[in-house]
């Protein structure tokens, strides 16, 4: 057996969590583990995957933050745009880093703000989609 097995205490120490939290993750099915007797054992690779560690290095992806100000927009158009951007931001698979999106409409000035936080390529793609939608409005 070449895979390292960790106890709950060892896993908790690596994750900097309380052992009861690790046990709750196991029981909830969020952290795969094998029951041996009265205790659990967690494979190091599965713990790394759970913690977001790839090939021994923590995933510290570059993130881009972008704020877009859209003037002279109606409430209905702002709602449609927010729905479209929300749907577009949720595309991807489990390996895709999350793209955070926030929208706000100010009826007093008829402006909309869009805040994007994500990888530079995902943010750029969503900005392109935003530009296409704005050209159609």
């Amino acid at each position: 057996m070449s895979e390292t097995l960790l106890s709950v205490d060892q896993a908790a120490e690596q994750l900097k969590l309380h052992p009861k939290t690790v046990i709750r993750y196991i029981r909830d099915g969020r952290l795969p583990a094998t029951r041996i007797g009265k205790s659990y054992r967690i494979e190091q690779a599965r713990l790394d995957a759970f913690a977001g560690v790839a090939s021994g290095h923590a995933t510290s992806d570059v993130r881009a933050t972008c704020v877009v100000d859209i003037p002279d927009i109606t409430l209905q158009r702002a709602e449609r745009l927010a729905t479209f951007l929300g749907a577009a931001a949720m595309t991807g698979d489990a390996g895709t880093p999350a793209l955070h999106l926030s929208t706000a409409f100010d009826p007093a000035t008829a402006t909309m703000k869009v805040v994007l936080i994500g990888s530079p390529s995902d943010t750029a793609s969503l900005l392109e989609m935003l530009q296409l939608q704005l050209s159609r409005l």
Side-chain angles (χ1 to χ4, degrees):
M1 178 187 283
S2 62
E3 184 62 42
T4 305
L5 294 176
L6 303 171
S7 68
V8 169
D9 290 333
Q10 292 169 326
E13 186 177 322
Q14 284 189 21
L15 294 173
K16 296 183 179 21
L17 295 173
H18 193 277
K20 287 184 180 182
T21 304
V22 173
I23 290 173
R24 189 175 67 241
Y25 288 160
I26 292 169
R27 289 184 179 154
D28 290 347
R30 292 190 268 174
L31 178 59
T34 302
R35 187 158 188 142
I36 300 175
K38 293 184 179 182
S39 62
Y40 290 101
R41 293 291 183 258
I42 302 116
E43 292 179 16
Q44 181 68 53
R46 290 184 182 244
L47 184 68
D48 290 346
F50 176 80
V53 176
S55 304
H57 298 94
T59 56
S60 59
D61 294 337
V62 174
R63 306 292 281 170
T65 302
C66 181
V67 179
V68 181
D69 186 25
I70 305 167
D72 302 321
I73 189 167
T74 66
L75 176 61
Q76 292 77 19
R77 287 181 174 174
E79 287 174 343
R80 277 186 286 170
L81 192 57
T83 301
F84 169 77
L85 292 173
M90 290 191 309
T91 60
D93 58 8
T96 304
L99 180 65
H100 301 280
L101 168 76
S102 248
T103 59
F105 176 75
D106 183 6
T109 59
T111 59
M112 179 179 183
K113 294 235 188 260
V114 178
V115 180
L116 300 170
I117 303 171
S119 71
S121 61
D122 289 345
T123 303
S125 296
L126 202 61
L127 286 172
E128 287 178 26
M129 288 185 225
L130 175 61
Q131 183 62 41
L132 284 172
Q133 286 298 315
L134 288 174
S135 67
R136 293 179 183 172
L137 292 178

